[in-house]
Amino acid sequence: VDARFAPFASDLSTSLALIEDAVRSRREPGVDPSEVVARIQEELRAGRAHAGLFRRDGRTTGLALWAPSGPLGTAVRLVYLEPTVVSKDAYAELFGAITRNAGPVAFASPMPGLTFEEEATVLRSFGFAPFRRSEMRFPSIAPVPSPELPKGVSVRSLRPTDEAEAARVHAAAYRDRFDRYLFLEDLDPVRDAAQVASLLFGGRFGEMLFWASALAEANGRAVGATAVIRSGGRALIADVCVDPAYGGRGVGRALVVATVRALRTRNESAIALAVTEENHRAVRLYEHVGFIRALGPTREWYNTRLIPFPPDAD
Ligand SMILES: CC(C)(COP(=O)(O)OP(=O)(O)OC[C@H]1O[C@@H](n2cnc3c(N)ncnc32)[C@H](O)[C@@H]1OP(=O)(O)O)[C@@H](O)C(=O)NCCC(=O)NCCS
């Protein structure tokens, strides 16, 4: 069998047609395929994503799209095989070709045309396990719960000068958590948190809305924080974290309620966040505050040999 990767640009029209087929095959409700295709083209042009054409028996029959995902490895964002050649073996070959071309893979995407069981057989053989991500929104007509502060805890809005304190809480909250690996900047938890805080505070993921972000304090120290950014025309709660020493007492809830109240006060009607479904504590918190699922859940796969914490570690 002649299986290999051809550079994406070697056949641009085939490449773009395959990307179009791949994106349409996902049929994600609420997602406009042509917007996704345009975004992918832009990322390829800017070098933020890489793609390869999969060739088998002298014919281009599929493609893979991946992005560098920091210190851990790459994130495979899209794989696709033409319906006429879809099989577990063909996808296993394609996946093998990706690891040879792109290096260690940290995250993998679904394989269109396979059943979940078939996809699981292929990806488990490479050491992957599934997880799901959803976008939740706070309905514009829902009442905002009243703020209730746990004893000894106060909540105020975040300030640009809180970066180091927010980083310290972020490091403690995410240290042994799966979710840290989704946006990994550095393998070391403390350096990782410092970088994430610096990127967030610096507006690298979108304008930081300090007035909507919240900091919880107890005994003069920060014990929890939220970070809200402007992203895709909505207010996105990009981070919610509580020092584990203060967990399970309502600090997370108080922070999220304070954030939603601040946004509502300034008539922000589109309030969203993304959550790992297996992070039951976070999901329960958001549900009880009044968030509802708006997009997803998407199915994704993580490399259990590279990520030591399962997503449902609670
Ligand atoms: C998620 C997180 C912010 C929650 O903070 P917290 O202060 O412990 O949350 P709260 O005490 O306000 O509890 C919130 C809800 O979770 C529930 N909960 C608490 N511990 C739980 C557990 N071990 N398993 C499931 N649910 C749990 C509580 O019952 C509460 O629900 P309720 O409204 O029915 O009472 C915190 O655990 C954290 O920082 N986790 C790591 C970072 C992270 O995953 N952030 C979210 C990314 S989307």
Side-chain angles (χ1 to χ4, degrees):
V1 182
D2 166 33
R4 63 186 181 87
F5 256 153
F8 182 73
S10 63
D11 183 351
L12 205 56
S13 62
T14 305
S15 308
L16 294 178
L18 276 169
I19 285 192
E20 183 106 23
D21 289 348
V23 170
R24 287 189 191 283
S25 77
R26 291 201 296 209
R27 280 199 211 91
E28 290 176 273
V31 176
D32 177 357
S34 49
E35 271 175 33
V36 178
V37 172
R39 200 170 62 228
I40 289 173
Q41 278 182 261
E42 173 51 34
E43 289 177 352
L44 286 167
R45 259 197 302 274
R48 280 179 280 118
H50 308 287
L53 293 177
F54 182 62
R55 295 180 56 83
R56 206 182 197 219
D57 302 329
R59 212 166 67 78
T60 298
T61 52
L63 97 167
L65 181 86
W66 64 88
S69 84
L72 215 51
T74 55
V76 174
R77 298 250 308 272
L78 194 66
V79 292
Y80 182 70
L81 289 175
E82 278 177 5
T84 51
V85 301
V86 162
S87 72
K88 278 191 297 186
D89 289 349
Y91 266 119
E93 242 175 68
L94 170 57
F95 206 78
I98 297 170
T99 56
R100 282 194 300 280
N101 279 268
V105 175
F107 295 100
S109 60
M111 301 178 151
L114 296 187
T115 65
F116 176 74
E117 284 72 23
E118 291 168 334
E119 180 180 307
T121 304
V122 174
L123 283 166
R124 283 189 203 282
S125 76
F126 286 93
F128 284 72
F131 68 101
R132 290 164 301 150
R133 294 272 292 170
S134 293
E135 175 161 321
M136 300 181 88
R137 293 199 190 135
F138 194 82
S140 54
I141 49 162
V144 185
S146 56
E148 275 170 49
L149 290 179
K151 232 173 134 49
V153 175
S154 60
V155 172
R156 63 163 170 86
S157 42
L158 197 67
R159 303 175 193 132
T161 48
D162 293 323
E163 187 178 314
E165 281 287 274
R168 189 176 51 72
V169 173
H170 181 98
Y174 284 95
R175 173 174 289 274
D176 297 337
R177 311 272 323 168
F178 173 83
D179 276 66
R180 182 165 86 85
Y181 292 85
L182 294 175
F183 308 99
L184 195 71
E185 296 291 330
D186 193 302
L187 283 171
D188 174 72
V190 173
R191 281 203 301 268
D192 186 44
Q195 284 203 41
V196 169
S198 161
L199 292 169
L200 272 173
F201 277 59
R204 270 285 293 279
F205 307 122
E207 180 200 351
M208 177 82 170
L209 306 182
F210 286 98
W211 52 269
S213 308
L215 189 82
E217 292 172 307
N219 301 316
R221 276 165 74 86
V223 297
T226 63
V228 186
I229 59 174
R230 174 91 51 215
S231 172
R234 62 224 205 293
L236 181 71
I237 305 178
D239 195 11
V240 179
C241 57
V242 172
D243 185 332
Y246 286 81
R249 307 183 195 180
V251 176
R253 181 188 164 91
L255 282 164
V256 174
V257 168
T259 290
V260 172
R261 290 188 84 82
L263 289 165
R264 267 294 180 76
T265 304
R266 295 219 197 171
N267 294 320
E268 294 281 348
S269 54
I271 305 173
L273 56 83
V275 68
T276 302
E277 283 289 342
E278 289 76 10
N279 189 351
H280 305 297
R281 190 186 305 209
V283 169
R284 283 247 298 268
L285 194 173
Y286 303 142
E287 279 177 347
H288 289 166
V289 170
F291 281 81
I292 56 164
R293 285 177 183 71
L295 285 179
T298 57
R299 184 169 73 248
E300 298 174 47
W301 295 83
Y302 73 98
N303 191 333
T304 60
R305 294 163 190 161
L306 296 179
I307 299 170
F309 304 104
D312 57 349
D314 280 323

